[in-house]
Amino acid sequence: MIYDAAIIGSGPAGLSAALVLKIHEKNFMWFGSKNLSDKIDRAEMVNNYPGLPAISGKALNQAFQDSVKSMDLKIEEQMVNQIMALGDSYAVMAGSDFYEAKSVILATGVAAVGTLPGEAELVGKGVSYCATCDGEFYKGKTIAVICNKARFEYEVKYLADLAAKVYYLPLYKDVAIKQDNIEVMSAKAVKMNKENGRLSSLTLSDDSQLDVDGVFCLRDEISLGTLLPKLALEDGHIAVNRSMATSLKGCFAAGDCTGRPYQYVKSAGEGNVAAHSAIEYLSTLDEN
Amino acid sequence: MIYDAAIIGSGPAGLSAALVLKIHEKNFMWFGSKNLSDKIDRAEMVNNYPGLPAISGKALNQAFQDSVKSMDLKIEEQMVNQIMALGDSYAVMAGSDFYEAKSVILATGVAAVGTLPGEAELVGKGVSYCATCDGEFYKGKTIAVICNKARFEYEVKYLADLAAKVYYLPLYKDVAIKQDNIEVMSAKAVKMNKENGRLSSLTLSDDSQLDVDGVFCLRDEISLGTLLPKLALEDGHIAVNRSMATSLKGCFAAGDCTGRPYQYVKSAGEGNVAAHSAIEYLSTLDEN
């Protein structure tokens, strides 16, 4: 089945787009976190979201949850690893699954942690963003896993059951996962190195080097350059026009990923516009 | 005194801009209605304002009022009649007063009722938007008053106390005003006619003609073409870029007046961006 749209991201931009698509009875997939936005959850106090005065980040995220419930929206928690433009539609790779959608709304936010030097060029050559897709290739091998959220530990476990050895480089505190072949490192990865066109090792923040066959990056924010390679960027953000259309036909973007100011209501406004533009785009497809 | 900014309009775009300017401790005037938005008040149900699920228009407008109160924002209820670009600042004519501001944020909405044929070219030549500014010119004369809101009847009374005869052309039901020299018409004005470069008469919807010395148009939404004459428009809306900057330096716009989709959260998002852009603009003035 081909969906009308796929929304990537569950912050205010993604939510706002989902509300509009639902009202317009579009058949869409919404990828994100059931917690919507960890970032908002952590915000101390928000004073400039009109209609919700002097609200804590936690309460604002809860208000957004109320919107999700009220419109009976479904969030798919699979991580979107890559999107490919197929011409008249898009292939969305999420976890080990594959979805096809006529339009895409990118609401991925901005990555707090960017990609590492050397990372982008080694995607598919030792660097993977998807444990369930690529884990099997590393059966009995030595891998590193970089991970910025405790909730991805189940994927680390999946990898450790396959690999001979896992160097684990968490970007969060209170690591809970324990397994004989998992070595939790205190240094951070700072660079990816290659040999013969493939990943060969990681350089760590203590200047040591880790020889590995592969590295898995489990982040809840995807680097724009690797997500949808042909997308035109501008100053590190997705280039969009006033209709939130990107450089790719049928692909729209909204929220922090389109640029500053990084403000919740700006994101919500853009998500609404992106969804309306996607609906208009879908109507032109129907005419043909 | 020169204000940092003047915001024109008290819908979600104006409110959102006001919240940001207040947080950034800017010295600004906010022109609008203490009721914020009659249009939202009348909306039946709003399902796509993220964080305020399935809310009635009345309750949404009340939530916006809560934001106004929470940040102690002041709304100036004078009607802005015209804005003039002075070079490095703007002159804002509101009622019979005059304000100067370094930047302007237009959040005027879209006029439900447009201007009449012949109106734009006769502004200042028999056509006025401000009873208290121009009323005295029509002492003992015959005038027409076109008015779209009952709450402007006090201005009609002011005019009737000056003029010999007032033809009243209301665009709302339940007219309350009564005075010997006020004749309430049931036909609508459809055209303004001129003679020797000045307004001479109105053509009404029943094809009759009303000879008048002047006509006052009391509308709560201002036509963009007459508000700030040099502003570049696009398809009847204010032309803006992604920063909500208009064609005039220091002049920003947000909300329905910048184009579709006419959506509350789109307006709120743009108000936030416009205010951030105005703040950035003000900082460049400080450097000089």
Side-chain angles (χ1 to χ4, degrees):
Chain A
M1 100 167 272
I2 306 185
Y3 292 92
D4 289 324
I7 302 171
I8 325 294
S10 57
L15 166 60
S16 190
L19 290 171
V20 171
L21 292 186
K22 178 79 179 194
I23 289 169
H24 286 260
E25 297 181 340
K26 295 299 166 192
N27 181 19
F28 65 100
M29 290 290 293
W30 183 19
F31 297 94
S33 158
K34 291 216 160 86
N35 188 44
L36 296 183
S37 167
D38 293 343
K39 197 164 150 192
I40 296 181
D41 239 0
R42 286 192 306 263
E44 202 167 325
M45 178 66 72
V46 180
N47 277 321
N48 63 0
Y49 193 89
L52 291 167
I55 192 167
S56 70
K58 208 166 242 345
L60 181 58
N61 205 32
Q62 187 52 55
F64 288 154
Q65 292 281 11
D66 294 343
S67 284
V68 171
K69 257 180 236 141
S70 149
M71 294 297 283
D72 197 24
L73 296 169
K74 302 274 173 275
I75 299 173
E76 180 61 52
E77 276 205 311
Q78 282 175 305
M79 175 84 181
V80 173
N81 307 297
Q82 196 159 18
I83 301 172
M84 281 186 299
L86 303 178
D88 282 337
S89 69
Y90 288 87
V92 177
M93 264 72 73
S96 55
D97 293 329
F98 172 99
Y99 302 89
E100 192 175 350
K102 295 177 194 166
S103 67
V104 165
I105 297 174
L106 302 172
T108 55
V110 276
V113 182
T115 54
L116 296 177
E119 178 178 333
E121 57 171 319
L122 290 170
V123 177
K125 294 163 186 158
V127 173
S128 170
Y129 300 109
C130 177
T132 48
C133 320
D134 298 330
E136 294 232 356
F137 302 140
Y138 297 93
K139 225 176 232 172
K141 304 216 167 172
T142 297
I143 60 171
V145 180
I146 298 168
C147 176
N148 74 347
K149 283 285 150 61
R151 69 165 190 267
F152 298 134
E153 284 189 359
Y154 75 96
E155 297 203 40
V156 183
K157 163 119 187 53
Y158 172 82
L159 289 169
D161 288 343
L162 290 165
K165 167 85 182 180
V166 172
Y167 293 107
Y168 191 44
L169 300 135
L171 294 166
Y172 60 91
K173 289 173 189 170
D174 303 322
V175 173
I177 196 167
K178 267 185 194 166
Q179 195 156 315
D180 282 350
N181 64 336
I182 299 180
E183 184 175 343
V184 179
M185 315 293 286
S186 56
K188 310 242 170 300
V190 295
K191 191 166 163 277
M192 298 194 186
N193 309 304
K194 66 175 175 181
E195 221 179 272
N196 301 325
R198 270 194 67 86
L199 173 85
S200 58
S201 67
L202 287 183
T203 303
L204 303 190
S205 53
D206 60 6
D207 281 336
S208 69
Q209 202 147 310
L210 223 50
D211 290 333
V212 291
D213 299 305
V215 59
F216 285 82
C217 302
L218 310 178
R219 305 186 182 110
D220 61 347
E221 286 159 325
I222 312 153
S223 157
L224 297 171
T226 53
L227 180 65
L228 182 43
K230 285 182 184 165
L231 201 60
L233 303 183
E234 209 174 287
D235 297 329
H237 296 103
I238 301 173
V240 287
N241 65 13
R242 287 265 304 143
S243 304
M244 312 314 294
T246 70
S247 60
L248 300 176
K249 191 183 64 167
C251 178
F252 305 87
D256 289 353
C257 62
T258 72
R260 293 175 184 277
Y262 299 151
Q263 297 274 312
Y264 304 132
V265 74
K266 178 259 193 191
S267 294
E270 291 188 350
N272 181 295
V273 174
H276 279 95
S277 296
I279 291 166
E280 201 179 320
Y281 170 74
L282 290 168
S283 76
T284 65
L285 296 183
D286 295 342
E287 283 164 14
N288 298 333
Chain B
M1 102 166 271
I2 306 186
Y3 292 92
D4 290 324
I7 302 172
I8 326 293
S10 57
L15 166 61
S16 190
L19 290 170
V20 171
L21 292 186
K22 178 80 178 192
I23 289 168
H24 286 260
E25 296 179 342
K26 295 299 165 192
N27 182 18
F28 65 100
M29 290 288 294
W30 182 20
F31 297 94
S33 158
K34 291 216 160 88
N35 188 43
L36 296 184
S37 167
D38 293 344
K39 197 164 148 192
I40 297 181
D41 238 2
R42 284 193 307 262
E44 202 168 325
M45 179 64 73
V46 179
N47 278 319
N48 63 1
Y49 193 89
L52 291 167
I55 192 167
S56 71
K58 208 165 242 348
L60 181 58
N61 205 32
Q62 186 52 54
F64 289 154
Q65 292 282 12
D66 294 343
S67 284
V68 171
K69 255 179 239 142
S70 148
M71 294 297 282
D72 197 24
L73 296 169
K74 302 276 173 269
I75 300 173
E76 180 61 53
E77 277 206 311
Q78 281 176 305
M79 174 85 180
V80 173
N81 308 297
Q82 198 159 18
I83 301 171
M84 281 185 302
L86 302 178
D88 282 337
S89 69
Y90 288 88
V92 177
M93 264 72 73
S96 55
D97 293 329
F98 172 100
Y99 302 89
E100 193 176 349
K102 295 178 195 165
S103 67
V104 165
I105 296 174
L106 301 172
T108 54
V110 275
V113 182
T115 54
L116 296 177
E119 178 177 333
E121 57 172 320
L122 291 170
V123 177
K125 294 163 186 157
V127 173
S128 171
Y129 300 109
C130 176
T132 49
C133 320
D134 299 331
E136 294 230 357
F137 302 138
Y138 297 93
K139 226 177 232 175
K141 303 217 170 173
T142 297
I143 60 170
V145 181
I146 298 168
C147 175
N148 75 346
K149 282 286 152 58
R151 71 163 188 267
F152 299 135
E153 285 189 359
Y154 75 97
E155 298 203 41
V156 183
K157 164 116 186 52
Y158 172 81
L159 289 169
D161 288 344
L162 290 165
K165 167 83 183 180
V166 173
Y167 294 107
Y168 191 45
L169 300 136
L171 293 166
Y172 60 91
K173 288 172 190 171
D174 303 320
V175 173
I177 196 167
K178 267 185 194 166
Q179 194 155 317
D180 281 349
N181 65 336
I182 298 179
E183 184 175 343
V184 180
M185 314 295 285
S186 54
K188 311 239 170 302
V190 294
K191 191 165 162 275
M192 297 194 186
N193 309 304
K194 68 175 173 180
E195 220 177 272
N196 302 325
R198 268 194 67 86
L199 175 83
S200 57
S201 67
L202 287 182
T203 303
L204 303 190
S205 53
D206 59 7
D207 281 337
S208 68
Q209 203 147 310
L210 225 48
D211 291 334
V212 291
D213 299 305
V215 58
F216 285 83
C217 303
L218 309 178
R219 305 185 183 111
D220 61 347
E221 286 159 325
I222 312 153
S223 157
L224 298 170
T226 54
L227 180 64
L228 184 42
K230 283 181 184 165
L231 200 61
L233 303 183
E234 210 175 285
D235 298 329
H237 296 102
I238 301 173
V240 288
N241 65 13
R242 288 266 304 143
S243 305
M244 311 315 295
T246 70
S247 60
L248 300 175
K249 191 184 63 166
C251 178
F252 305 87
D256 288 354
C257 62
T258 72
R260 295 175 182 278
Y262 299 151
Q263 298 273 313
Y264 304 131
V265 74
K266 178 259 193 191
S267 294
E270 291 188 351
N272 180 295
V273 175
H276 279 94
S277 296
I279 290 165
E280 202 180 320
Y281 170 75
L282 290 168
S283 75
T284 65
L285 296 183
D286 295 344
E287 283 164 15
N288 298 333

